[in-house]
Structure formats: C-alpha cells, structure tokens
Amino acid sequence: MGSRSPNSRPNSRIASLAAAALLALAAASIPAQGAGLGAAGELVDPDVLRVCADPSNMPFSDKSGQGFENKIAELVAQNTGRKSVAYTWFPAVIGFVRNTLTAHRCDVIIGYAQGDEVVQNTNAYYRSSYVLIYKKGGGLDGVDSIEDPKLAGKKIGVVQNTPPTANMAANQLLRTAKIYPLMIDTRLLPSMGEVMIKDLNAGTIDAAVLWGPMAGYYVKQSGADLAVVPLLKEKTGQRMAYRITMGVRPSDQEWKRTLNKVIREHQAEINKILLDYNVPLIDEHDNPITQ
C-alpha cells in the first residue's frame, strides 16, 4: 500500500509497496534500452540522487519530505556521494514508471515490491505483511487469520483488488465487507488507510485489513489502542507478506550494485527509520523485527 507497495497493485507495491495486490502499478511495457553515456553505459546522475515518487502518499512519500521513503532517500544520498536529493513527482497511478524512471527523469524508486518485472529490483531492504486491525476488548482478541470463524458476519474494511480480497472471498467475508477504492488521488482526497482507521474507531467497521506500513502509521497517528496483527498464518488464497526493494532501470546494473551496498551496510539505520513510522517489520522466518 504505498510507494509501489502491495497496496498499490498492479505494481507488486508494494504495497505502493506499497502499497497493491501485488504493493504494483500496471505500467506500460519498458522499451529496450541502449547503452548510456557513462562508463558503465548508465545514465544515472552522479551528483544528485534523482528520486521518482508520489507527492502525496504518506507514510511513504510526500512533497514536504515527511515520508519514510523521503528519509531513506536522504540516507542513500549521503552514502552514495550525492550532494542533494531531487524529486520527480508523479501520482501512484497507471503510467507512474513510464513517466518517471523509464523516461530518465529520475534514477530510483525508493519503495517497490520484489518480483515486479516493470523495474529491476535491488535486494529487499524490508519485509512486511498485510495486517488485521481491530479494537482490543471488542470480541476479536486473539484472531490472527482471515480464516478465523470469529470474523464471520463482521463488517471488515479492505482496499479493492488487494491480495486480502481473495482470501476474504474464499472465506465468504466479502458479502459483509466495506470495500475502499484502490485508485484515488491523495492530493485531493485522504488516504484510504487514514479513512479506514477512522471508520474502525468510529464503529463503522468491525475490523480492517490493510498493508502493514500504512496500517502501522495511521494507527499510531490515531492514538487509539488497536490490535495490529500481521497475517502470517493464511492457508488459502494469496500470500500476505512481501519484500520491498528499490526499483531501477534494467540497464543500470552498476547503480543496482551501489544501492545493494548501501542497503547491506546501513540496514540497521533503515530499520530504525521504518520502526519510527511504526512499520511492522518481519524477517524471513516471519519473526518480528523490533530494532
């Protein structure tokens, strides 16, 4: 749900992603690229970190620089010898990659779900999952799977066409669900994550299923005492956990190696940024990462 997170599918966004259903944007095919002008045949700016980003997509990125991807971009710039960070802003809709990265207007998408063929992925720098959110003490305590019988008949909020909708359909939960739109212009309307958490606190819905980074951020912003449970025990339907990478052009092999080095050497700092935004991080064995 965010940055090309799984919640912004068609890119595997992530999220945006991060995010959709697989965090990925349904961007147009990338044309074959010839050699560039650099020593490695790459057209990557050596002095400025040129980032492709959504201008209004908290907690991932925004024009004021308050998103966690903005903070990670600053870390990357500092550790690749760049003097500054410059953004090409474009909303996370169809055509995002084609109009930014592929057009050579920028050199990296900070958050992109692993496995999407529209871009070349770096190594993953975090792994998260969709989560189930509910009020503590409201009758759903202990529920940790969409398959739990306690959810039958409940009004559950979910973003349209994201992976959990398939699991909810398999468990006959969509009939009573509240479906939130996937493609909105967050420059004009609030994030569906924000709206969903407000609806949960108001009692409009009984529970919510949302991409973890978005859920963690808006739950923290709300100040409410809500359970945020990673969905890691599903036996049917789509997987709920995704690795998030940085996205670069297929031709930029040396640039990818540079970014992989930054990720490898500064993983602890990246984790701290993400945890500050209440992102539910999980390792490859589905254990929570807390520092």
Side-chain angles (χ1 to χ4, degrees), residues 20-42:
L22 276 177
L23 299 89
L25 293 172
S29 301
I30 296 182
Q33 298 182 26
L37 300 178
E42 300 181 13

Side-chain angles (χ1 to χ4, degrees), residues 34-272:
L37 300 178
E42 300 181 13
L43 293 171
V44 176
D45 193 307
D47 299 315
V48 177
L49 183 69
R50 301 191 307 158
V51 178
C52 325
D54 188 310
S56 180
N57 192 24
M58 289 295 288
F60 307 99
S61 62
D62 81 341
K63 274 193 170 182
S64 68
Q66 296 305 304
F68 65 72
E69 290 180 2
N70 298 109
K71 307 302 182 187
I72 292 171
E74 292 170 10
L75 182 150
V76 170
Q78 292 166 7
N79 291 282
T80 56
R82 267 61 182 180
K83 299 173 184 176
S84 61
V85 179
Y87 286 92
T88 292
W89 301 112
F90 198 91
V93 297
I94 292 173
F96 175 86
V97 175
R98 173 169 46 84
N99 286 287
T100 59
L101 188 70
T102 306
H104 286 270
R105 298 174 63 196
C106 42
D107 300 320
V108 62
I109 301 169
I110 296 295
Y112 211 97
Q114 188 180 64
D116 193 284
E117 296 179 357
V118 176
V119 305
Q120 175 178 213
N121 299 108
T122 65
N123 293 339
Y125 65 91
Y126 77 95
R127 184 169 179 259
S128 191
S129 72
Y130 281 87
V131 298
L132 178 67
I133 314 158
Y134 50 81
K135 291 181 179 179
K136 295 178 182 178
L140 294 178
D141 293 313
V143 175
D144 59 6
S145 169
I146 289 173
E147 300 168 13
D148 194 302
K150 288 183 181 179
L151 294 176
K154 299 294 185 183
K155 192 166 189 177
I156 303 171
V158 66
V159 176
Q160 178 184 26
N161 294 333
T162 54
T165 58
N167 301 53
M168 289 176 63
N171 289 278
Q172 300 182 342
L173 296 174
L174 286 185
R175 290 178 293 185
T176 54
K178 180 174 181 180
I179 308 299
Y180 294 79
L182 172 63
M183 290 296 183
I184 62 166
D185 189 339
T186 51
R187 295 171 299 179
L188 305 174
L189 298 170
S191 161
M192 286 300 100
E194 180 180 5
V195 173
M196 198 182 297
I197 299 305
K198 286 182 177 179
D199 284 351
L200 178 58
N201 286 325
T204 305
I205 56 176
D206 301 308
V209 178
L210 189 61
W211 174 231
M214 187 174 287
Y217 176 76
Y218 284 113
V219 166
K220 184 176 182 179
Q221 291 290 104
S222 76
D225 189 20
L226 301 174
V228 179
V229 183
L231 291 169
L232 302 171
K233 299 183 178 181
E234 307 309 303
K235 296 181 177 63
T236 58
Q238 296 196 46
R239 62 193 173 107
M240 296 290 102
Y242 298 94
R243 300 179 187 91
I244 303 301
T245 73
M246 298 178 195
V248 300
R249 287 178 289 272
S251 61
D252 293 343
Q253 294 293 317
E254 187 60 35
W255 179 223
K256 181 182 77 170
R257 285 189 283 270
T258 297
L259 292 172
N260 281 341
K261 183 173 185 288
V262 172
I263 292 168
R264 183 175 64 252
E265 294 180 352
H266 299 276
Q267 186 65 66
E269 296 163 69
I270 292 172
N271 286 355
K272 184 179 185 309

